[in-house]
Amino acid sequence: MKMQWSLIFGLLFALLTAIFAVINVDPVKVNFMFAEVNIPLILLILGCTLIGGIIVGSYGIFRQYKLQKTVKHLSAQLAQVQAETGYTFPDPAANKAGSDEDAGGLKPS
């Protein structure tokens, strides 16, 4: 559900940006420190939006990679501790059955 809302907000932002860009079509002077050029404002707005999207996407990919690396490291540590101690996780199905018996043998209806 979270992904759907993100997609809806992303499309809404893209629509608002496109409308804003289409309204502003006048040429503007852009100074690149070594040259000045006249560019339609619509291209400047869309270009800056694209560059911002690339930066945010790159940060998201970097963060995802970093989290995957952390998960892999922690999984290796968990496996090492389990091997050293002989600990195994309890079965969730057996745990649920055990909790029903703890309630006086009565199962909820």
Side-chain angles (χ1 to χ4, degrees):
M1 189 65 160
K2 182 179 177 183
M3 187 66 174
Q4 291 173 344
W5 282 110
S6 297
L7 181 63
I8 289 170
F9 286 131
L11 290 174
L12 184 63
F13 177 74
L15 178 66
L16 290 174
T17 303
I19 290 171
F20 180 73
V22 169
I23 292 171
N24 295 293
V25 293
D26 299 329
V28 294
K29 186 184 292 188
V30 179
N31 185 357
F32 289 112
M33 289 195 281
F34 55 86
E36 288 185 359
V37 293
N38 286 328
I39 301 175
L41 189 55
I42 185 171
L43 294 178
L44 191 63
I45 292 170
L46 293 177
C48 289
T49 303
L50 180 65
I51 291 170
I54 290 171
I55 291 170
V56 169
S58 298
Y59 176 73
I61 290 171
F62 171 74
R63 191 169 156 217
Q64 184 76 19
Y65 171 75
K66 193 173 170 183
L67 287 173
Q68 285 177 351
K69 189 175 178 182
T70 302
V71 167
K72 185 184 264 188
H73 176 71
L74 291 175
S75 295
Q77 277 186 335
L78 178 63
Q80 180 184 3
V81 168
Q82 285 177 331
E84 290 174 1
T85 62
Y87 178 79
T88 58
F89 289 110
D91 185 21
N95 191 17
K96 185 177 182 207
S99 65
D100 290 341
E101 293 171 6
D102 291 340
L106 301 174
K107 293 185 179 180
S109 53

